[in-house]
Amino acid sequence: MIQIDHVTLRELRIPLVSPFTTSFSTQTARTLVAVEVAARVNGAEVTGWGECGALAEPVYSEEYAAGAMDVTERFLLPRLAAAQRDGALTAETVGAHLEAVVGHRMAKAALEAAVLDAQLKAAGTSFATYLGATRDRVPSGVSVGIQDSIPALLDVVRRYVDEGYQRVKLKIQPGWDIEPVRAVREAHPDVPLQVDANAAYTLVDAALLRRLDAFDLLLIEQPLAEDDIRQHAELARLMSTPMCLDESVVSAASAADAIALGAAAVINIKPSRVGGYLESVRIHDLARAHGTAVWCGGMLETGLARGANAALAALPGFTLPGDISGSARFYERDLTTPFAIEDGHIAVPTFPGLCEQPNADALVEFEVGSRVVRLA
Ligand code: NPG
């Protein structure tokens, strides 16, 4: 049982080493909400941390950072307060206590992660041990944003391949698809390569998208809109490149539908997007039972969540490299000890909990606002 005293919500704005352009935005800094839970577990005082994946603007999903802070304070924390008054709060029951609130999965995920971090730190248990991870390192993939020109793209990809990244994911959008992918494939005939459209196409583009089949891609990720699971199934039948869903899979239930419809040969599991690490495990288990491959997606995580993603990706069903790059891919200064890639891999952390205690100076440097909410 966990007893939360207070929760500090901090909105942080962390500069990126270079702009990251996708079909939905160009980010020059990562805005996120860091959740700090000050609690007692079996009489011991402990602090847990979670990171909310919501961006500054609702352009990837409906959630956004300021909204996540608001819903957490106004609707999520009062429910956890009620649960702990009944003596019924554990990390494993956070999801059930928050179920009455519709959506807001990224806000819920961050809170569950912080409670789980506190609980595991109190127990002295690493997240990998808690999950039953079967590997001590995971292959690291890199996500390459849309560039200004093909030569610029080739430079960036060359640098990441030289750093040892095990697979490259190229962001695509209408007007930036066949030719950039062809150029990278010609320059790197053997590199494991995949593309991500972030819902930028419609089924009308099927003939164009089929041309990607020529480039021996591991998968094409989320070409169509979030709601278009059936249309993804139709497109999957028209292409030989395996279909992977990201935005469309928001829960184990939607993963089950996507698999049953033939819309997803592969699933990108992002803990934030699906409401947390525990739902991520349920999707992993479901996909594994169906023979559907999964990999761990990324949302420019800081050290508060990067290691936890690596631990998740060390489960046996994660058979493809994840978007789990080194901290230096995005940040000059991370919030914790930076994650480095070694021999193309990220080590699965062995420290207790989901993350290290973040650096206090870094929190001050990046904070743009905060709120403290008392529960006890
Ligand atoms: O390595 O963390 C990473 C970035 C991987 O491309 C990546 N993430 O669409 O998958 C995505 C994209 C993203 C980033 C989505 C931030 C939403 C927010």
Side-chain angles (χ1 to χ4, degrees):
M1 219 81 74
I2 185 162
Q3 195 68 28
I4 300 174
D5 179 69
H6 64 275
V7 174
T8 308
L9 303 171
R10 288 184 185 79
E11 185 173 340
L12 306 178
R13 189 174 185 281
I14 314 176
L16 300 181
V17 289
S18 57
F20 186 56
T21 300
T22 63
S23 58
F24 59 82
S25 72
T26 294
Q27 299 177 67
T28 55
R30 176 70 164 110
T31 295
L32 60 88
V33 178
V35 178
E36 178 187 5
V37 164
R40 282 185 167 274
V41 181
N42 301 326
E45 278 185 22
V46 57
T47 303
W49 291 84
E51 173 171 319
C52 178
L55 301 175
E57 298 184 353
V59 288
Y60 168 77
S61 73
E62 304 94 326
E63 290 187 78
Y64 59 101
M69 276 190 54
D70 188 72
V71 78
T72 302
E73 177 174 11
R74 207 187 284 265
F75 301 110
L76 303 185
L77 291 175
R79 284 175 166 78
L80 294 196
Q84 71 181 12
R85 277 195 296 276
D86 297 341
L89 186 61
T90 62
E92 292 77 7
T93 60
V94 166
H97 293 308
L98 301 181
E99 208 169 357
V101 175
V102 177
H104 295 281
R105 292 182 173 87
M106 295 182 184
K108 292 175 179 175
L111 200 49
E112 182 192 80
V115 173
L116 186 54
D117 184 44
Q119 193 171 296
L120 294 181
K121 282 189 164 90
T125 304
S126 75
F127 190 39
T129 301
Y130 172 82
L131 289 173
T134 52
R135 283 170 285 177
D136 59 10
R137 60 175 207 161
V138 293
S140 184
V142 67
S143 173
V144 180
I146 291 161
Q147 307 292 314
D148 291 338
S149 67
I150 288 180
L153 172 68
L154 290 174
D155 279 354
V156 174
V157 171
R158 162 64 54 207
R159 187 154 51 81
Y160 291 136
V161 169
D162 289 347
E163 282 178 42
Y165 282 103
Q166 300 285 293
R167 75 89 173 107
V168 173
K169 156 168 148 178
L170 303 179
K171 291 288 188 181
I172 58 168
Q173 66 180 11
W176 181 263
D177 41 40
I178 308 298
E179 293 317 318
V181 175
R182 183 197 312 281
V184 171
R185 179 44 92 211
E186 281 173 3
H188 303 274
D190 299 322
V191 83
L193 190 63
Q194 63 194 53
V195 293
D196 181 7
N198 286 111
Y201 295 86
T202 70
L203 200 48
V204 172
D205 301 309
L208 170 83
L209 293 169
R210 277 178 75 156
R211 293 170 59 200
L212 293 168
D213 286 343
F215 304 122
D216 189 23
L217 302 176
L218 286 172
L219 55 92
I220 177 170
E221 185 180 353
Q222 194 75 36
L224 312 178
E226 178 177 330
D227 291 339
D228 290 345
I229 295 193
R230 186 198 57 79
Q231 293 190 42
H232 276 102
E234 218 162 295
L235 182 60
R237 283 193 285 277
L238 298 172
M239 297 183 71
S240 60
T241 304
M243 189 59 61
C244 172
L245 293 185
D246 172 10
E247 285 90 330
S248 295
V249 173
V250 295
S251 61
S254 56
D257 283 354
I259 293 170
L261 280 166
V266 183
I267 293 174
N268 163 337
I269 300 183
K270 277 184 192 154
S272 257
R273 192 195 68 229
V274 303
Y277 287 99
L278 302 182
E279 186 75 355
S280 298
V281 172
R282 290 188 278 273
I283 296 174
H284 161 272
D285 295 349
L286 168 89
R288 193 161 179 240
H290 280 274
T292 300
V294 303
W295 55 280
C296 182
M299 298 189 65
L300 286 63
E301 281 78 3
T302 71
L304 293 182
R306 198 161 284 272
N309 282 5
L312 178 71
L315 287 174
F318 285 81
T319 51
L320 292 167
D323 279 340
I324 311 175
S325 46
S327 300
R329 153 75 185 91
F330 292 111
Y331 302 114
E332 204 158 305
R333 180 175 196 191
D334 204 337
L335 299 178
T336 63
T337 308
F339 285 80
I341 75 158
E342 261 171 60
D343 191 21
H345 290 70
I346 296 276
V348 175
T350 54
F351 49 68
L354 276 68
C355 64
E356 284 182 344
Q357 175 73 20
N359 181 288
D361 295 340
L363 287 177
V364 170
E365 181 180 343
F366 300 129
E367 183 178 312
V368 290
S370 71
R371 269 176 238 175
V372 180
V373 184
R374 304 220 149 261
L375 267 72

